[in-house]
Structure formats: C-alpha cells, structure tokens
Amino acid sequence: MATPYAGDRVLGTNAVISESFAKQLTDLPAELLEHILCFHVLNHIDICNVSCTCKRLHDVCHGRGKVWAHQYKLRWPRLQRFYQQNESYDWLKEFKTRHMVGQQIRRTVESISKRFFTEVVLGDSFAEIESLGAPEHFCEDELLGILNSDKRKCLTLKYYAKKILYFHRQQNILRNLKVFLERPPEQQSALEGAVLVDQYCNPLADVTLESISAQIEEITDKVKKHLRVKNATHPSLRASQGDCFVLENLEFQRQVICALNAVLYDQLQYKGNERDFYNPLNSYIHQVLVRRTGIPISLSVLYMTLARKLGVPLEPVNFPNHFLLRWCQNQRRSDDIYDYVYIDAFGKGKQLAAKECENLIQHQVGADYYSAISTSELLLRMVGNLLNIGKRGEGNEKSYQLLRDSLDLYLTINPDNVQYLLLQARLYFHLGIWPEKVLDILQHIQALDPSQHGAVGYLVQHTLEHIQHKRHPVELEVKKRSEPDHRDVLYSVGLIMKHKRSGYNCVIYGWDPKCTMSQEWINTMRVHQLSKGADQPFYNVLVQDGTCRYAAQENLEPHSAPLEIAHPEVGRYFTEFSDTHYIANEELQTRYPEDMCSTHRTVEEHYHGLTANSGQSPEPTANFQDHDLLDP
C-alpha cells in the first residue's frame, strides 16, 4: 500500500481520490502514471492535489518530471523557445516563479492607471517593472498574455500593458544598438543597423534580423536562378549562404547587377514610393519587403545587401536629397568620383555617371557628396528622415511618438548633437514628461555649447516649476450632472456619437457645460457661427481617425449603429466595449460619477432592440492638446 504523504495542500482540493482507487492507481508503472497525469483536462491545481495524496504520487509529480513540464508548456507555450530540449529543468520551480511574476506584473499594471491617469505620457515610470527583479522573458510573456485576452474587455489593463511592453522592448533594442555601434566599422552591417532602427520604431511588431535575412536570402536565390540562365558557370552560383567574397572580374559583377535589376524590379516589382514619399513605413525594412516599395535609402540598403551577397561591393553614398550607391569600375579602390557608376535603387537600379546624378536634384554639388559613408552615417541619414517626418506630423500622439523614437535613435548614434539634444529637451518639456531627464539633457547641452545658455536657462526654470507642480498635484474637478450648472448637458461619457457636419464617429470621454477653450481657438474654429455659439456644452471625444477633438453639443448625435472606436487612447478612459457603448474605468467614473447611469438610460432609449451588456469597470483618462481640438 502507498505511504500517505504529509505535504502541504496547495490551492484547495478539486476532487477526492478514494483509498481503494489510490491503491489501484499507485500500482501502475511511473511512466503510465505520468501519461495519465499529463491528460489535457488536468490543470496545475489538480496536479498539486494529486501530489498531496500519497508519497507515490508525490514522487511521480516531482519538479523535474514530465508532469510539471507538461503543465508549464500547457500554461505558457510562448516560453518554450527559452528552454533547451536536452537540458534538465526544475519545472515546478519554473512554474511557481512564472506564476508569481505574473501576479506581480498584473498588480503593477493595475496600479498604474490610478497613479498616472492625468499624465499625457508615462515616461520612465515603467522602469519599476525592472525593479521586480523578475526574469525579463517572464515579464514580457505576462504582458503579452494581457494584450491577447478578450478583445473588448480589460481595455485599461491592455492600454498600460502595451505601453510597458513598448518601453521595455525599446530599452533592450537601444542596448543592442549601442553594442552594434561599438563594433569595428567593417563589422557593422547596414542591414542589421536598418533592422535595429525598424525594431526600435516598431517594438511591438515581430521584426527580427533572422526573419529579414531569410526573406533577403529568398530574393538572392531568385537572382541566382536568373543568373544561372545567363551564365551557368558564374562564380556567384557556387557561393554558399553566409559566404563573404568579392568578384574581381568586372564583367561578372555586371552580370550580377543585371540579374539583380531583372529580379528586383521586373519580376518582384519593387519600386520607389513617389506617391506617398513621406510615409514612415517607407523607412522600415520589414515594410519595404512586405510592400515592395520604399524611399532611396531603404531601397539602397536592400539593393546593396543583395549585391554584396553575390560578390559586388557596392558602397552607400550620402547624396543630398537622393541616396545613392556607387560601383567602382576599376580593379582597385579609387578616390576619383569619375571611376564610379552610381546606382539609383529608387529609380529601378538606373546607372548614372557622376554628373548625371546632379540631374536628380537639379543643382551642382561638390566631390565630397560622392564619397562612400560608414554604416553609422547611413543610419543617421535614415533616422534623420524619420525625424523630419515626425516634425512634419500633425501634433498627435502618433507623430510625437515617431519624433521621440527618432530622436532617441539619433542621439544614441550621435550623442553630442546640440541641435537635437535641445529639440529632445523641448519635446519632453512640451509633453510634460521626464522632467528630471530634461534637466540632465540641458546640463549636457550647457557643457557642450555654453552659447545656448538663454534657451537652456528658460527650460531649466520652467522644468523646475513643473517638478514642483508634480509634487503638489491639483485635484481633478468632479463633474456631477445633477448640479444646476450642468442641466443642459445631454450626453455622457461612453456614448458612441456621430458628428452631424463632419460625419466622423467618436466616443465621449469628457464634457464641459460651456466651451472652455481660449478666445483665439473659438475665433479660429468659428464657434460663433453655431446657433448657440460657445454658450452650450462641449464634449471631449476620441475620433475613429485617431485624433482627439472638442465638439459642440449641437453638432453631435447618438450613433444609429454603435461601433467600436479604433483610437489608441480608448483604454485610458474605458475598461470595456459593451456592444452599444463604452464602460468608463474607475478613474473616469470618479471624475464623472453620475455619467454611467445616464449612459445606460440613453442606451436603453436609443438601442432598445440591441443587446446592451451592462457592467462596471475601472480605468484611466487622457488630456488633450489645443491643436488636436477640431471641428466644433
């Protein structure tokens, strides 16, 4: 008979195993018991209970055995890539650690909404996740688990989980970029650098050097296939993946270039994106491969990578307004610009003489502009393009994020650029984030260029005021619909609305009994042309196109067929989409304590035939900028 095991019971009991059944069960071989206990309907609580039944079953459920390995893989399948198949692990210990980390992460994410509800951007407050000291892949897995849960629920939890994941992935990518830049220049691949830029600007996308390299290898194989038809004995056909070689014969190089152009532009239809040149997607290498279009520099990185893999040593040229590649026509490296053919990857691989390049930009340039540049200089040009796109943006969160990301990258590559350091300090100051970091940046600027003391002094003074203000935050105004001054407010937070004039769909996340904007804004938006002017309720709304607007009551009406609003800030204010409306989170309900009841009444009146899932959930709100408030 099996010896009873006096271990601690964990998480309660789901089932009772009779003594007679235990006798029969424990007589089975260990391998068969493991097989039974790995049945998919049993969860970790069941295994804990079984292991407490007797010593025999406890031994079968030991930490390094198949039973806990199965439970771990069942619960967290994404983590399997971090474990070697032939290694032995204490799976019970791994399970407990991962479970504990998950609880800590969720508690931390849930607390962020309450603490940062009124801030536009959270800044480095996410660094507290690192202070948990938990394995990084456990933290990321829990955050991904939150993001992949029920689409319409836990919106606030997902909102902050996404921001935390974004922040932590960027920190890792930045560390990888610094390691990359410390390598000798000859070991810095333009493709790897472009992938790091892509990853930093798209940290939530599945972009890896391995996947990008695999796609480029597929194109290389197509070029080889084309080359084989033209010259079956071509030396490049004998090269294996990863080989580093240079074709000495210029005719062989010419054959590679011809095959590359035929495959890339004729067969695969790659082309320069002239119609949407300033779209940031043109600069991301994974998007260039998916969309088969880009700008001169991104297409040049692709073209140069393919050519080098096939033995043609093309070099990047930082030509003004139109990035180019150069191809030496001599056996030896030359300093004479006329010894090179210049390739326009944006122009379907067109080959140009030195002076023909000037036709691309319609003015003459000096010989320096025809020189080859390093990988770090190429990355500065690439990031500079993104930076300019961010500066051209509409002042919404998306353009601010691009501006922040590109500044981070630029200053990682070139940390002493005073112009961009000052731009970064001004941006952080404008957004009201990282005041302590702003002071560090300003101190660095002052050390690099004392002539900037005027601009630095102004920002230092106002940043110190901001820090002082944060230490004594002003309490948010609570707005109750029952107050006499609010009797004209017809609509409430969470309602899906339609703008009568502009036609956009939106959700209300705040309101004022009268317009509170400046007189300048009122004049600019021609509010006086409205029948009730500024003397009517105005609503803060999140619009389907990603903007935040301030709309007059007379211009809004409940949507006839409510739909989800795909706005990045929805989770800041709402915890759930409930078929006909959004449910305000705890923080928004605190500010508008009587609104959810009003929302439910409106839903009943307008959507009686639709299913309305009522519920209450807590979550956070966002502020708006004056330049975002359009269409009164």
Side-chain angles (χ1 to χ4, degrees):
M1 178 178 175
T3 308
Y5 177 67
D8 294 333
R9 289 185 70 81
V10 182
L11 302 173
T13 305
N14 280 353
V16 177
I17 300 179
S18 67
E19 186 177 348
S20 60
F21 178 69
K23 281 183 182 180
Q24 299 170 27
L25 191 65
T26 53
D27 289 340
L28 295 174
E31 293 80 2
L32 187 53
L33 284 173
E34 286 180 333
H35 184 75
I36 293 170
L37 294 174
C38 287
F39 195 52
H40 68 275
V41 298
L42 299 177
N43 61 29
H44 65 286
I45 300 176
D46 297 319
I47 301 304
C48 287
N49 291 331
V50 167
S51 66
C52 294
T53 306
C54 65
K55 187 176 186 306
R56 167 73 167 149
L57 291 177
H58 179 267
D59 291 343
V60 171
C61 298
H62 66 91
R64 293 184 177 274
K66 291 181 181 179
V67 177
W68 278 110
H70 172 75
Q71 283 298 322
Y72 189 87
K73 292 170 186 175
L74 198 65
R75 183 83 177 273
W76 299 293
R78 283 188 300 264
L79 293 175
Q80 295 314 300
R81 61 193 176 92
F82 295 99
Y83 298 94
Q84 301 295 326
Q85 283 190 345
N86 298 326
E87 292 289 325
S88 175
Y89 298 97
D90 187 336
W91 292 107
L92 178 56
K93 182 180 179 182
E94 292 290 298
F95 193 102
K96 288 179 178 178
T97 304
R98 172 62 185 84
H99 182 73
M100 181 188 68
V101 168
Q103 290 180 318
Q104 291 175 326
I105 294 292
R106 282 185 176 263
R107 281 197 296 266
T108 302
V109 177
E110 286 168 356
S111 72
I112 286 176
S113 176
K114 295 178 175 62
R115 291 181 287 134
F116 298 105
F117 178 64
T118 58
E119 291 194 18
V120 178
V121 186
L122 295 184
D124 59 355
S125 307
F126 299 134
E128 64 189 83
I129 296 289
E130 293 178 352
S131 68
L132 296 175
E136 187 176 297
H137 57 291
F138 284 1
C139 297
E140 179 161 318
D141 187 65
E142 184 62 30
L143 293 170
L144 285 171
I146 293 171
L147 290 175
N148 293 332
S149 58
D150 191 330
K151 181 183 175 184
R152 294 184 170 192
K153 297 184 178 180
C154 303
L155 299 182
T156 300
L157 198 64
K158 291 176 185 176
Y159 174 81
Y160 289 104
K162 184 176 181 179
K163 284 188 173 292
I164 294 170
L165 188 60
Y166 196 102
F167 173 82
H168 280 281
R169 283 191 175 178
Q170 281 195 326
Q171 298 311 298
N172 290 333
I173 296 161
L174 219 51
R175 283 191 283 267
N176 293 338
L177 177 60
K178 289 175 181 177
V179 171
F180 173 83
L181 294 170
E182 288 171 359
R183 295 182 200 161
E186 63 274 9
Q187 295 179 19
Q188 295 176 357
S189 150
L191 178 67
E192 185 175 352
V195 169
L196 286 166
V197 169
D198 189 344
Q199 288 175 328
Y200 192 79
C201 294
N202 303 283
L204 301 182
D206 186 18
V207 180
T208 65
L209 181 59
E210 292 74 22
S211 65
I212 299 297
S213 298
Q215 292 176 70
I216 287 179
E217 198 59 44
E218 288 178 10
I219 301 175
T220 305
D221 290 340
K222 286 179 172 34
V223 177
K224 285 183 177 180
K225 185 177 179 180
H226 190 278
L227 197 57
R228 186 175 288 107
V229 174
K230 301 294 183 180
N231 182 356
T233 62
H234 195 285
S236 295
L237 299 176
R238 298 193 296 270
S240 302
Q241 183 176 343
D243 284 357
C244 184
F245 69 101
V246 174
L247 294 169
E248 299 296 337
N249 186 298
L250 195 61
E251 175 57 24
F252 285 150
Q253 291 189 18
R254 187 191 66 77
Q255 291 173 8
V256 168
I257 295 297
C258 288
L260 178 53
N261 287 343
V263 170
L264 204 59
Y265 301 111
D266 298 335
Q267 182 180 336
L268 298 178
Q269 296 289 299
Y270 276 80
K271 61 183 179 181
N273 195 346
E274 296 179 350
R275 297 180 64 182
D276 194 13
F277 191 85
Y278 294 102
N279 188 330
L281 298 183
N282 294 325
S283 295
Y284 305 142
I285 193 68
H286 86 279
Q287 289 289 351
V288 171
L289 290 167
V290 169
R291 299 160 73 234
R292 300 190 181 186
T293 189
I295 53 176
I297 191 168
S298 57
L299 289 170
S300 291
V301 169
L302 174 61
Y303 194 106
M304 179 175 64
T305 302
L306 290 164
R308 287 183 174 181
K309 289 176 76 67
L310 293 164
V312 183
L314 299 184
E315 298 174 296
V317 176
N318 202 14
F319 202 71
N321 300 326
H322 199 107
F323 202 87
L324 295 170
L325 298 169
R326 72 179 193 178
W327 172 26
C328 188
Q329 300 299 291
N330 286 340
Q331 293 289 346
R332 297 180 181 178
R333 187 181 177 88
S334 171
D335 293 328
D336 188 342
I337 65 172
Y338 297 103
D339 286 339
Y340 291 87
V341 164
Y342 297 86
I343 296 176
D344 179 11
F346 187 80
K348 296 191 174 183
K350 185 177 180 181
Q351 297 177 20
L352 306 165
K355 285 303 173 184
E356 289 179 306
C357 297
E358 295 175 352
N359 295 331
L360 294 171
I361 56 174
Q362 300 298 310
H363 65 83
Q364 293 183 335
V365 294
D368 290 347
Y369 289 103
Y370 291 90
S371 301
I373 60 171
S374 66
T375 297
S376 59
E377 289 172 313
L378 181 149
L379 295 181
L380 281 176
R381 172 78 174 257
M382 181 175 279
V383 172
N385 289 338
L386 289 168
L387 211 156
N388 288 329
I389 294 170
K391 286 193 285 189
R392 289 164 57 102
E394 300 175 352
N396 55 27
E397 186 185 0
K398 194 173 182 180
S399 61
Y400 281 138
Q401 189 65 59
L402 179 59
L403 193 54
R404 287 178 59 197
D405 292 345
S406 50
L407 277 170
D408 288 346
L409 288 167
Y410 198 100
L411 292 169
T412 299
I413 303 167
N414 185 10
D416 294 335
N417 186 299
V418 171
Q419 175 191 353
Y420 287 136
L421 282 168
L422 195 55
L423 178 59
Q424 187 178 55
R426 284 173 172 156
L427 177 64
Y428 288 170
F429 175 76
H430 173 71
L431 295 176
I433 62 173
W434 286 345
E436 293 79 9
K437 187 171 182 179
V438 171
L439 293 177
D440 290 340
I441 295 169
L442 294 173
Q443 188 177 10
H444 186 44
I445 293 171
Q446 191 64 36
L448 291 170
D449 185 2
S451 69
Q452 297 288 340
H453 66 275
V456 168
Y458 174 85
L459 286 171
V460 166
Q461 177 187 345
H462 287 83
T463 301
L464 290 172
E465 290 175 0
H466 176 63
I467 292 173
Q468 193 65 27
H469 177 74
K470 282 184 70 176
R471 290 174 182 163
H472 305 284
V474 178
E475 285 192 17
L476 284 175
E477 178 188 2
V478 175
K479 296 181 179 180
K480 295 184 177 181
R481 308 178 65 80
S482 57
E483 293 180 5
D485 291 345
H486 300 162
R487 63 180 179 274
D488 293 332
V489 178
L490 295 179
Y491 307 124
S492 50
V493 296
L495 288 176
I496 310 297
M497 311 297 288
K498 190 177 187 68
H499 197 278
K500 295 177 184 177
R501 290 195 304 152
S502 301
Y504 61 70
N505 302 322
C506 58
V507 57
I508 296 172
Y509 71 96
W511 50 260
D512 297 307
K514 294 180 181 177
C515 182
T516 60
M517 300 302 290
S518 66
Q519 190 59 47
E520 181 184 0
W521 185 89
I522 289 172
N523 293 337
T524 302
M525 303 310 298
R526 300 188 295 278
V527 173
H528 60 276
Q529 293 182 7
L530 297 172
S531 62
K532 296 184 180 179
D535 191 23
Q536 63 176 306
F538 271 68
Y539 297 85
N540 306 117
V541 294
L542 300 176
V543 184
Q544 187 77 28
D545 64 5
T547 58
C548 304
R549 307 197 184 196
Y550 197 49
Q553 180 165 282
E554 67 180 74
N555 279 338
L556 293 176
E557 61 182 357
H559 202 289
S560 58
L563 70 171
E564 288 184 79
I565 303 298
H567 191 288
E569 294 293 299
V570 160
R572 188 172 185 178
Y573 304 100
F574 304 102
T575 187
E576 181 180 340
F577 178 67
S578 189
D579 292 329
T580 53
H581 63 287
Y582 279 93
I583 297 174
N585 58 29
E586 188 175 324
E587 287 67 45
L588 192 59
Q589 288 191 43
T590 299
R591 191 168 190 184
Y592 298 93
E594 299 172 354
D595 266 42
M596 284 315 297
C597 289
S598 176
T599 297
H600 290 314
R601 283 197 299 271
T602 304
V603 165
E604 286 294 320
E605 292 169 7
H606 286 82
Y607 314 117
H608 182 69
L610 300 176
T611 302
N613 297 327
S614 301
Q616 292 197 340
S617 303
E619 257 119 328
T621 39
N623 295 3
F624 48 83
Q625 304 294 327
D626 285 0
H627 47 70
D628 290 330
L629 307 178
L630 308 172
D631 296 330

